[in-house]
Amino acid sequence: MIVNSVINLSHDEKSVRFNVKVGVAYGSDTKLVESLLLKAAGEQKDILNRPEPQVIFNDFADSSLEFILYFYSNTIFNSELVRSELRFNINEKFSNNGISIPFPQRDVWMINQ
């Protein structure tokens, strides 16, 4: 199936970079969002402090401001569990600080003729 050589650049690495994406409502305090995401990552036992987690303000989307939290972990095979625990922590922090995660919304205009 593979004709050419495959080089795995991370085969000797003990940690792998992962990410969690989250959207917040327009009007949210973006610096507070960044701070809460980093705090949530810092509290997770399976997330490494070095390299430090990073938050990227990724986009102005249709219904939300999109952020990506990048982090490293040694827990490669249970990464979905690590990300799930992180999402629970993020949701709790957002809820406690008045940051809402929006759902897609559309305006419907009815014209009566």
Side-chain angles (χ1 to χ4, degrees):
M1 235 157 116
I2 298 176
V3 182
N4 296 324
S5 298
V6 176
I7 299 171
N8 183 351
L9 296 175
S10 65
H11 79 282
D12 284 337
E13 296 293 324
K14 294 182 178 163
S15 64
V16 176
R17 187 173 86 162
F18 298 101
N19 69 68
V20 168
K21 297 177 183 179
V22 64
V24 300
Y26 274 89
S28 297
D29 181 341
T30 56
K31 289 300 183 182
L32 177 59
V33 169
E34 178 185 38
S35 173
L36 294 173
L37 290 171
L38 291 172
K39 186 173 183 180
E43 293 174 356
Q44 294 294 125
K45 64 180 172 75
D46 291 319
I47 294 178
L48 301 176
N49 292 327
R50 296 279 180 242
E52 291 181 3
Q54 291 183 313
V55 174
I56 303 297
F57 186 165
N58 192 54
D59 205 359
F60 295 97
D62 288 340
S63 301
S64 66
L65 304 173
E66 293 183 353
F67 291 82
I68 304 174
L69 171 61
Y70 291 100
F71 62 91
Y72 285 83
S73 178
N74 293 333
T75 310
I76 296 168
F77 295 106
N78 286 330
S79 65
E80 286 304 318
L81 180 58
V82 173
R83 286 188 273 200
S84 176
E85 290 173 0
L86 181 57
R87 288 182 187 109
F88 277 117
N89 196 353
I90 289 169
N91 190 58
E92 181 179 345
K93 290 196 177 325
F94 281 7
S95 178
N96 291 341
N97 287 276
I99 303 291
S100 61
I101 299 173
F103 52 90
Q105 299 179 38
R106 302 287 183 258
D107 290 335
V108 177
W109 292 65
M110 305 290 282
I111 299 174
N112 202 5
Q113 293 186 4

